[in-house]
Amino acid sequence: MAFYQALPWHEGEDKIHKLTRVPPADNPTHPMLSSFLAKRVSTSPTIALGTIDDQGRVWCTVWGGDVPIAQQVAPGGIIGVRSQVDASFDPVVQALYSGKDDGEVVRHDPNTGKMVSGLSIKLEDRDRVKLFGRMMAGSLSADERAPEATEQAHVESEGQIGRTGNAQLVLQITQSLGNCPKYLNKKTIKSYPDAKPRLASESALLNEEAVAHVHNADLFFVASRGPEDMDCNYRGGPPGFVRVQRNQDPSQPQSSVLVWPEYSGNNLYQTLGNIMHDPKVGIVIPNLENGNVLYLTGHAEILIDKAASTIIQKSKLAVRLTITAARFVQDGLPFRGEPCADNKDVSSSHPTTTHSITDGQSPYNPRIRYLTSELPSTPDKTNPNPESNSNSTSTPPPDEHRHFHSPTLTATLTKKTKLTPTITKYRFSLHSSNHASFDPSMSPLWQPGQYIALDFSDELYMGYTHMNDNEPTSLNDDFIRTFTIASIYTPPTANAAPEFEIVARNVGVVTKWLSCQNDRSGMTRIGVSGFGGTFRFEKVAVASTEEEQQGSRKKKNAFIAAGIGITPLLGQVSATPSSASENGASEPGDDDVLVLWTLNIADIGLALDVVNSAPGAMKRDMRLFVTGTETQAKGNENMKVLRGLEEQASGLRIARRRLMKEDLTALEKSGEIEVQNWHLCTAPTLRKQVQEWLDGKTVVFENFDY
């Protein structure tokens, strides 16, 4: 049995540990290559490598192919790496072999050779081993350049066709560490000898193709430098977890900036500790499906607490990289990776644990965290947290209409009403340590159609946990949820604080907890982070003359909702019909709104509650589309009540089918009404369908994809 003294933390690591409040602990890094870790390295088909070029820049690359890509070849932690590589544009290849590509052996003193950090990784098993050592020897034999490539090279550098080659590398490893399987997205690696690398761009200002490459990535590798060593590690998440921050100031240097959140890890912070010591880092972002690869080097900045949350949503720790040099290479990887779509996690750390995994995505991946300067435009198909829907979402990007209040503002549950087996209506009363904040003459705390952000962390956060296979997404959950306010704002009085209602489906850890709470006064009190949102109905234009009124059709706001997507409407329609204002427009009223609402028969109790509480004029213009089997509908008492209202000529119309295109186009064909504004609050799939049906028309919707 080998005994060794723990390696000390360096100054940068100590600093990041203090800033992130990590309790003191020994450094688990081995000052050698253990036999156990050497065996794991020999089973991996991929290795990421980092080094420093002759300009002092840190670069990172990833090599892969047939197993073993690396293995111990001699005692004393000496490993050999053999791989097909991009011999022309890979910056680590150029730095290690100094441009020699004719097979000549390059030798170094193992004590003074180039520093090389490595990460042996087997994505298929979610296994990784960190390595550090120095280059002892190596050789690169590049393939002959094709005639057309030679001609192209004389024309321009960008677009130049490169060569592949066989690389051999001998390293003496002096540090090693096995890492946990979190955030590793499963992929099966296979060699691809037909790669033909082409330099598409070497601009530090990423073009649209390179930006798309970044936003499609679900993994990258990062190399950093400490006082006496280097580190190479993996970052993974849902596709799009790395964001490109657009440069809005033309006076600034034309380079791109990348931002990524630092997820809950093993609390070692070795990469961040190195950045504290030296901000120069290198990253490589591979696309394992098509072989394109983006090499970047630049200066990194660590963002902590407010500095992080103001840049990227829901993050208390993030990294911002300002790119100083880049190479975007098409077809540059001599290997490919395919997602492992299985249902078993065979991680070497937890071999008996099973999960339901989609396309190999890690069950620990949180949702995409967008920059606060951007609004997502595409659905987040990788979201592992089902609690986010059209009424309960993760914290959205701030906007000019968001206004936050004192953290002492709290909400106390005063009433809950179960409407369906999974949907509950909650009523809360607001409380503040500053009682003057509820002065009857105060400005409204929120506007109709806005959301409230509630902070459940005091009740649900259990402290740091390295792994939690039962609730993997809890490791990066801030337990802040936003809910559309489903009630009209009523000003406070001398004796009563403002109250609000929300409607939530019981689908996730927060809403499940909330559904179990007692509504006796004072039993459940939750922090309020703020209010925000811009999903408002526009005013409906009113005919100004008697002649126009006689010849014009009734103008309406059409509201298309699915399930609990009806809630943004409830806080906006008033109890009385709209009245004309001086400028010929009116505030949105219940007589201005035409509702087309689709929901499943299992949620029909929600429909009955809304119809019973809705203003009378809104009932006259509600089309309800109820899906589900006849067996489910038969004997449903709520459905019988709604059918009774329909038979009373109340104006409520019920169709036992899905919403169809003809239901929308027929509205204006009758000649009786004119839809001035179309509003949507549905799931992304239905929203996309409705937008296609309404091609050419302006559609307003709240984006709940973040």
Side-chain angles (χ1 to χ4, degrees):
M1 180 179 293
F3 293 90
Y4 61 88
Q5 184 175 359
L7 294 173
W9 300 109
H10 64 67
E11 183 181 356
E13 291 168 328
D14 283 334
K15 185 174 182 180
I16 191 66
H17 291 165
K18 291 178 182 178
L19 290 173
T20 55
R21 297 176 286 277
V22 172
D26 288 338
N27 187 341
T29 302
H30 297 263
M32 58 182 177
L33 178 63
S34 70
S35 58
F36 173 65
L37 295 182
K39 183 176 180 180
R40 286 168 60 178
V41 168
S42 67
T43 65
S44 298
T46 319
I47 188 168
L49 298 170
T51 195
I52 303 167
D53 68 8
D54 56 7
Q55 298 180 46
R57 300 177 300 184
V58 179
W59 290 97
C60 190
T61 188
V62 58
W63 297 352
D66 298 326
V67 176
I69 196 78
Q71 60 183 328
Q72 185 165 335
V73 294
I78 298 175
I79 69 169
V81 182
R82 184 194 297 267
S83 178
Q84 184 179 355
V85 299
D86 172 359
S88 297
F89 310 122
D90 185 330
V92 172
V93 169
Q94 294 181 339
L96 292 178
Y97 301 105
S98 303
K100 297 180 180 180
D101 59 8
D102 57 359
E104 178 185 351
V105 176
V106 179
R107 290 183 172 84
H108 294 279
D109 185 319
N111 297 313
T112 59
K114 281 184 175 293
M115 291 197 300
V116 178
S117 57
L119 184 74
S120 169
I121 189 164
K122 189 177 183 181
L123 291 171
E124 188 171 8
D125 287 350
R126 293 198 171 100
D127 184 44
R128 54 177 162 166
V129 176
K130 293 174 65 173
L131 306 166
F132 168 72
R134 290 184 179 271
M135 180 178 177
M136 297 178 63
S139 67
L140 173 65
S141 300
D143 300 334
E144 292 294 329
R145 188 184 298 274
E148 61 271 18
T150 304
E151 296 175 3
Q152 179 72 15
H154 292 292
V155 178
E156 56 184 356
S157 59
E158 293 189 4
Q160 177 183 347
I161 298 175
R163 296 183 292 169
T164 58
N166 293 311
Q168 297 188 61
L169 182 65
V170 179
L171 302 173
Q172 182 170 38
I173 302 302
T174 56
Q175 295 179 26
S176 63
L177 175 66
N179 269 198
C180 70
K182 285 187 297 185
Y183 319 118
L184 270 68
N185 301 313
K186 283 190 171 185
K187 290 176 173 58
T188 301
I189 303 298
K190 297 181 180 180
S191 62
Y192 186 78
D194 297 329
K196 294 181 175 59
R198 185 180 72 85
L199 182 62
S201 172
E202 52 184 348
S203 171
L205 181 64
L206 302 183
N207 58 28
E208 291 303 316
E209 185 179 6
V211 170
H213 175 92
V214 173
H215 287 169
N216 286 329
D218 67 350
L219 63 89
F220 70 89
F221 301 94
V222 54
S224 57
R225 181 178 184 178
E228 298 178 352
D229 56 15
M230 292 187 67
D231 180 83
C232 186
N233 213 340
Y234 170 98
R235 293 293 184 269
F241 79 104
V242 190
R243 310 306 302 167
V244 177
Q245 189 174 31
R246 304 286 184 169
N247 188 353
Q248 304 294 336
D249 187 353
S251 65
Q252 295 298 315
Q254 291 299 294
S255 64
S256 293
V257 175
L258 265 59
V259 181
W260 65 85
E262 285 288 312
Y263 299 147
S264 173
N266 54 17
N267 270 6
L268 301 184
Y269 294 122
Q270 291 171 316
T271 298
L272 299 191
N274 283 352
I275 294 174
M276 282 288 183
H277 165 75
D278 186 341
K280 292 191 289 293
V281 301
I283 74 173
V284 58
I285 306 177
N287 185 318
L288 299 182
E289 293 184 11
N290 61 23
N292 293 348
V293 57
L294 180 63
Y295 302 100
L296 304 171
T297 188
H299 295 85
E301 174 188 5
I302 300 173
L303 308 173
I304 300 177
D305 292 334
K306 187 177 180 180
S309 60
T310 57
I311 299 296
I312 188 167
Q313 302 165 25
K314 296 174 69 65
S315 297
K316 294 184 178 180
L317 187 62
V319 175
R320 178 166 54 190
L321 173 67
T322 301
I323 301 169
T324 56
R327 295 179 185 179
F328 183 42
V329 183
Q330 295 177 335
D331 198 17
L333 297 177
F335 64 96
R336 296 292 188 267
E338 296 181 357
C340 305
D342 63 10
N343 292 320
K344 186 176 182 181
D345 181 354
V346 292
S347 161
S348 59
S349 300
H350 298 267
T352 61
T353 302
T354 59
H355 303 287
S356 176
I357 301 172
T358 302
D359 292 333
Q361 290 289 299
S362 170
Y364 282 89
N365 287 347
R367 303 190 74 195
I368 297 176
R369 299 176 183 180
Y370 291 94
L371 300 178
T372 54
S373 60
E374 64 181 341
L375 281 172
S377 58
T378 56
D380 175 9
K381 299 179 180 179
T382 63
N383 173 29
N385 182 1
E387 196 160 5
S388 297
N389 52 48
S390 60
N391 183 248
S392 170
T393 74
S394 297
T395 308
D399 51 56
E400 60 183 354
H401 298 278
R402 172 180 283 190
H403 48 284
F404 287 89
H405 303 277
S406 166
T408 58
L409 192 66
T410 59
T412 299
L413 179 64
T414 60
K415 183 180 180 181
K416 72 174 185 178
T417 305
K418 193 169 185 177
L419 304 177
T420 79
T422 61
I423 298 176
T424 304
K425 179 167 65 176
Y426 303 91
R427 187 164 189 84
F428 293 89
S429 175
L430 290 172
H431 297 272
S432 173
S433 58
N434 179 11
H435 298 288
S437 63
F438 289 153
D439 188 285
S441 62
M442 66 184 289
S443 300
L445 290 173
W446 70 86
Q447 298 297 323
Q450 288 193 309
Y451 57 76
I452 184 170
L454 298 176
D455 186 351
F456 296 81
S457 59
D458 286 346
E459 300 291 341
L460 296 176
Y461 180 64
M462 303 300 292
Y464 169 77
T465 302
H466 181 209
M467 302 284 290
N468 184 353
D469 287 336
N470 293 323
E471 290 285 350
T473 57
S474 67
L475 270 61
N476 291 283
D477 195 339
D478 62 359
F479 299 107
I480 295 177
R481 299 292 187 273
T482 62
F483 300 87
T484 302
I485 297 177
S487 56
I488 298 171
Y489 180 78
T490 54
T493 65
N495 299 318
E499 293 189 332
F500 66 91
E501 288 183 348
I502 63 173
V503 178
R505 188 184 296 277
N506 183 2
V507 291
V509 61
V510 168
T511 47
K512 286 180 180 178
W513 177 87
L514 186 59
S515 69
C516 297
Q517 300 312 299
N518 196 308
D519 59 358
R520 285 183 292 174
S521 179
M523 291 289 291
T524 303
R525 180 169 291 191
I526 303 164
V528 176
S529 294
F531 304 86
T534 60
F535 192 56
R536 296 288 308 276
F537 291 123
E538 297 181 11
K539 298 176 182 179
V540 174
V542 177
S544 58
T545 67
E546 182 177 349
E547 181 179 354
E548 290 177 347
Q549 292 173 0
Q550 293 176 351
S552 64
R553 295 180 293 172
K554 174 64 177 177
K555 294 182 182 293
K556 291 278 188 178
N557 278 313
F559 183 79
I560 304 172
I564 58 175
I566 194 70
T567 52
L569 175 67
L570 305 181
Q572 296 195 59
V573 290
S574 63
T576 58
S578 58
S579 57
S581 61
E582 295 180 359
N583 61 2
S586 66
E587 293 294 338
D590 61 303
D591 202 29
D592 294 335
V593 181
L594 172 66
V595 182
L596 298 99
W597 185 13
T598 177
L599 77 168
N600 188 275
I601 185 67
D603 294 333
I604 201 66
L606 173 62
L608 182 60
D609 181 78
V610 169
V611 169
N612 283 336
S613 60
M618 191 178 79
K619 297 177 186 177
R620 291 196 296 271
D621 280 319
M622 180 179 287
R623 322 288 171 83
L624 198 59
F625 300 87
V626 182
T627 61
T629 66
E630 288 300 327
T631 301
Q632 293 174 303
K634 187 176 181 180
N636 189 301
E637 294 299 323
N638 291 330
M639 191 67 179
K640 290 180 181 179
V641 175
L642 288 171
R643 285 294 190 187
L645 293 174
E646 183 182 27
E647 293 172 358
Q648 296 172 16
S650 64
L652 173 67
R653 304 179 193 177
I654 302 175
R656 286 284 287 113
R657 58 176 174 79
R658 295 182 180 275
L659 177 71
M660 301 172 64
K661 178 180 180 179
E662 292 71 21
D663 297 313
L664 309 185
T665 57
L667 294 177
E668 295 181 331
K669 288 183 179 179
S670 65
E672 297 179 2
I673 67 170
E674 177 184 346
V675 178
Q676 177 169 299
N677 304 296
W678 293 91
H679 296 78
L680 296 180
C681 193
T682 72
T685 301
L686 180 57
R687 184 181 73 210
K688 181 180 178 181
Q689 182 67 73
V690 171
Q691 287 177 297
E692 292 176 356
W693 291 345
L694 298 175
D695 185 34
K697 297 184 181 294
T698 300
V699 179
V700 180
F701 63 89
E702 183 79 277
N703 194 330
F704 291 98
D705 298 337
Y706 34 77

